[in-house]
Amino acid sequence: MKLVQKIFLLLTILSLAHNANGQSKSKQEILTSIGKVSKWHSVNYILFSSNTKKNIFKERAFLKDKSSGKARFDGKTTNNISLVLLFNYKSKALEKGYINGKLTDAKSIIQYQEVLNQLFDDTKLLFLPMFIVSTHSSHLTIGPGKIANAEKLTEINFKNVLNLNKQAMNGTIYLNSKGDIKEYYMDQSVYAVGDIKDIGDGILLPTRFNNLSNPSLNIKFNIVAGFTDIESDKFSTL
């Protein structure tokens, strides 16, 4: 083998090793930031709520079953209509709905698509770290980082990470030296991230997302909690 070919082969091997190490480090940084990620697999049910006005809702709470896709929405619209919708976010089928406490024909509930969209929008922010650590390390790279508020931030870029709706997401997540997630860059928006909470069993997730270019898109989640068991009728009746 000629010397030039040997040098090229060596550089290729070193480059691949560097990329693999960078991807592994990216994932490890995020794993550290969200605490006991291994517990995520034993958390079957997630409850989260927000009073941040979004679209047609001024109050909303979702309860979801990670394995089956069953979900429950409790909310109130801006014109004070109370809704309870029981559906499956994987099949996108609305199974039962109540308007102001009365069982209503599912086909006549015009707000369902808004509810489904809101679930996917909320979880895209709230569970982004979990979506990232559930993907292959090859989808992650470490960038040059940046300085923000006199603090050095590690930059982790992600590509083709699937969200709850199985759509691919691309963007960047920034962490400080303590491993706290500080910013998201996604969908051409930058979010300052904070109010990290233990949602159960040591799993840490940010619950406040301030859009730095459009404050009307800010979201604050009041409750985020994970459970291993829950009453089964939560997904079948009012």
Side-chain angles (χ1 to χ4, degrees), residues 16-190:
L16 290 172
H18 175 76
N19 288 338
N21 289 336
Q23 290 159 358
S24 177
K25 184 179 178 182
S26 299
K27 196 162 189 175
Q28 188 57 48
E29 294 239 13
I30 299 175
L31 285 170
T32 301
S33 75
I34 54 182
K36 297 179 180 178
V37 69
S38 60
K39 299 289 186 179
W40 176 251
H41 303 293
S42 64
V43 173
N44 300 318
Y45 307 96
I46 303 289
L47 170 69
F48 58 93
S49 69
S50 177
N51 293 331
T52 304
K53 181 181 174 182
K54 283 290 173 183
N55 298 321
I56 65 170
F57 308 111
K58 64 179 181 180
E59 300 173 14
R60 64 188 185 281
F62 287 99
L63 174 66
K64 74 183 192 74
D65 180 338
K66 285 168 50 187
S67 57
S68 70
K70 290 182 179 180
R72 177 187 179 107
F73 170 83
D74 290 82
K76 184 172 286 187
T77 67
T78 52
N79 54 352
N80 291 316
I81 295 175
S82 295
L83 291 173
V84 177
L85 302 185
L86 309 173
F87 61 100
N88 190 297
Y89 66 82
K90 292 184 179 181
S91 68
K92 298 182 173 62
L94 175 59
E95 297 170 1
K96 195 179 291 185
Y98 299 84
I99 296 180
N100 293 327
K102 295 181 179 180
L103 183 62
T104 304
D105 180 11
K107 294 180 180 178
S108 68
I109 300 178
I110 60 175
Q111 299 93 344
Y112 174 56
Q113 190 59 51
E114 290 276 4
V115 169
L116 197 59
N117 292 343
Q118 193 63 59
L119 172 67
F120 294 138
D121 285 346
D122 285 348
T123 54
K124 188 163 57 173
L125 289 174
L126 189 56
F127 300 128
L128 178 60
M130 292 306 182
F131 295 142
I132 291 176
V133 298
S134 298
T135 196
H136 193 273
S137 295
S138 61
H139 293 243
L140 309 176
T141 57
I142 292 182
K146 67 176 185 177
I147 303 294
N149 298 319
E151 188 175 35
K152 171 68 174 177
L153 300 181
T154 298
E155 174 185 330
I156 299 176
N157 301 301
F158 58 91
K159 186 175 182 180
N160 295 327
V161 170
L162 297 182
N163 60 23
L164 196 67
N165 197 25
K166 301 303 180 185
Q167 294 178 330
M169 300 185 294
N170 303 318
T172 302
I173 193 169
Y174 290 95
L175 304 93
N176 66 11
S177 59
K178 297 178 181 179
D180 296 330
I181 300 172
K182 304 299 288 185
E183 287 186 10
Y184 291 170
Y185 179 84
M186 186 170 56
D187 297 334
Q188 298 183 328
S189 294
V190 180

Side-chain angles (χ1 to χ4, degrees), residues 184-204:
Y184 291 170
Y185 179 84
M186 186 170 56
D187 297 334
Q188 298 183 328
S189 294
V190 180
Y191 290 89
V193 174
D195 293 351
I196 295 172
K197 293 182 179 179
D198 186 333
I199 72 166
D201 284 335
I203 300 170
L204 306 175

